[in-house]
Amino acid sequence: MNDVLQDISAAQRIVVKVGTSTLTYETGKMNLKRIDQLARILSDLRNRGKEIILVSSGAIGIAMGKLGLSQKPQETRQKQAVAAVGQCELMYLYDKLFSEYNNTVAQILLTKDDIAIPRRKRNTQNTFATLLEMGIIPVVNENDTVSTDEIEIGDNDTLSAVVADLVDADLLVLFSDIDGLYDSDPRTNPDATLLRIVYDIDKVKHSAGGAGSSRGTGGMITKLAAAEIATSAGIHMVIANGANLNALYELLEGNPIGTLFVSKNFRGENDE
Ligand code: GLU
């Protein structure tokens, strides 16, 4: 495990994904303390010379709070409209908070075609590369306003892994409302144990429950799908609890946090 942790501590290009449950309270309103903390920590890492890409959910969740909706919209056209309101609010806040820490953000909204069509993929990669060269922190979400079933990536866990692959990241960190992957569902089994390190995703698939909270989209299934994309692309992935964003520092100091999925490049014969 130590060589993996050492490799992680040296990660230069890092994709951080935060889910709706990390960014909002149970009331549906924005968790400003958390968002401010996120902006401060990512700005600090950027100042250290790390390249940071933030994949942020929350457009629909934040709009629900803003518009006073008690339930997540179900119909596509409603989701699209609500996301248009929320994305604006989300970026307004990120722009304001990152600016306070002297860092610049840029919005990138993606659909499946931006990754599937080679010419569009190249353009997207060029944009990311240029923003990173300029020292800017790209903030990515799915383009929910135009996404329909046919062209949607679907959930931001998958999106973050696709982005990590697209930008050739060294590390992907998914902040969720749970400490990591357990051997059984901790919401129903008090004896469930947190898995610290996973080399073979197939061996832990049975541990993934269903969907996550009522505000977000992902659960463990989408997180394992993300782990599969990231680790096969040679990228380590970590699932950690968004209630402690400072854990990012611990990780970069070589300490284990949450559940670590090891990149395929680090899987030796004796690792199982
Ligand atoms: N793109 C959605 C939003 O911003 C979130 C999807 C997800 O959390 O997986 O609300």
Side-chain angles (χ1 to χ4, degrees):
M1 185 167 183
N2 283 345
D3 55 340
V4 180
L5 288 173
Q6 209 183 342
D7 195 51
I8 288 182
S9 67
Q12 175 60 17
R13 188 167 283 189
I14 305 166
V15 176
V16 175
K17 183 258 173 179
V18 284
T20 306
S21 52
T22 300
L23 299 173
T24 58
Y25 287 110
E26 293 275 335
T27 57
K29 298 279 184 191
M30 283 192 256
N31 186 333
L32 294 171
K33 184 177 172 202
R34 192 69 68 64
I35 303 175
D36 179 57
Q37 201 187 22
L38 178 70
R40 183 171 46 77
I41 293 170
L42 296 187
S43 294
D44 192 38
L45 294 179
R46 175 70 219 113
N47 292 353
R48 259 195 217 185
K50 302 283 184 193
E51 292 176 316
I52 305 291
I53 295 107
L54 173 62
V55 175
S56 176
S57 305
I60 294 177
I62 283 168
M64 282 169 62
K66 183 163 179 153
L67 300 171
L69 308 175
S70 55
Q71 283 193 339
K72 226 172 150 179
Q74 295 303 324
E75 251 186 81
T76 301
R77 61 199 282 270
Q78 278 175 341
K79 270 196 242 171
Q80 291 173 322
V82 169
V85 173
Q87 184 62 31
C88 188
E89 182 80 357
L90 192 61
M91 283 314 296
Y92 167 72
L93 200 65
Y94 281 135
D95 190 45
K96 186 173 143 87
L97 293 175
F98 277 92
S99 297
E100 276 181 21
Y101 297 109
N102 280 322
N103 270 278
T104 304
V105 292
Q107 171 182 261
I108 298 194
L109 298 177
L110 298 175
T111 58
K112 207 188 213 169
D113 285 353
D114 298 315
I115 290 114
I117 301 172
R119 184 179 51 83
R120 284 175 69 161
K121 182 176 173 182
R122 273 196 308 280
N123 282 334
T124 309
Q125 283 174 313
N126 289 340
T127 307
F128 272 112
T130 310
L131 288 170
L132 293 173
E133 270 163 37
M134 291 166 79
I136 292 169
I137 300 175
V139 181
V140 188
N141 198 353
E142 172 136 30
N143 195 352
D144 295 312
T145 293
V146 300
S147 275
T148 53
D149 286 350
E150 303 79 58
I151 57 165
E152 75 174 4
I153 298 162
D155 66 87
N156 277 13
D157 294 328
T158 309
L159 174 69
S160 65
V162 166
V163 167
D165 184 17
L166 199 71
V167 302
D168 199 12
D170 304 309
L171 174 66
L172 167 62
V173 183
L174 301 190
F175 280 113
S176 180
D177 54 1
I178 191 160
D179 291 343
L181 178 68
Y182 285 80
D183 60 355
S184 65
D185 190 343
R187 288 169 298 189
T188 52
N189 178 6
D191 296 327
T193 328
L194 181 70
L195 304 173
R196 309 299 317 210
I197 189 154
V198 175
Y199 288 96
D200 184 346
I201 296 166
D202 283 337
K203 286 196 182 151
V204 297
K205 274 198 177 136
H206 62 276
S207 309
S213 72
S214 55
R215 287 165 293 141
T217 304
M220 275 302 152
I221 294 175
T222 53
K223 288 181 180 55
L224 288 191
E228 223 145 37
I229 298 172
T231 57
S232 347
I235 303 161
H236 300 299
M237 186 185 110
V238 173
I239 302 175
N241 200 321
N244 179 20
L245 296 171
N246 278 311
L248 253 184
Y249 288 119
E250 288 174 44
L251 191 62
L252 294 174
E253 274 156 23
N255 298 312
I257 62 161
T259 302
L260 162 59
F261 295 85
V262 179
S263 143
K264 74 163 187 342
N265 301 343
F266 265 74
R267 284 179 206 158
E269 278 168 22
N270 302 319
D271 290 338
E272 305 298 307

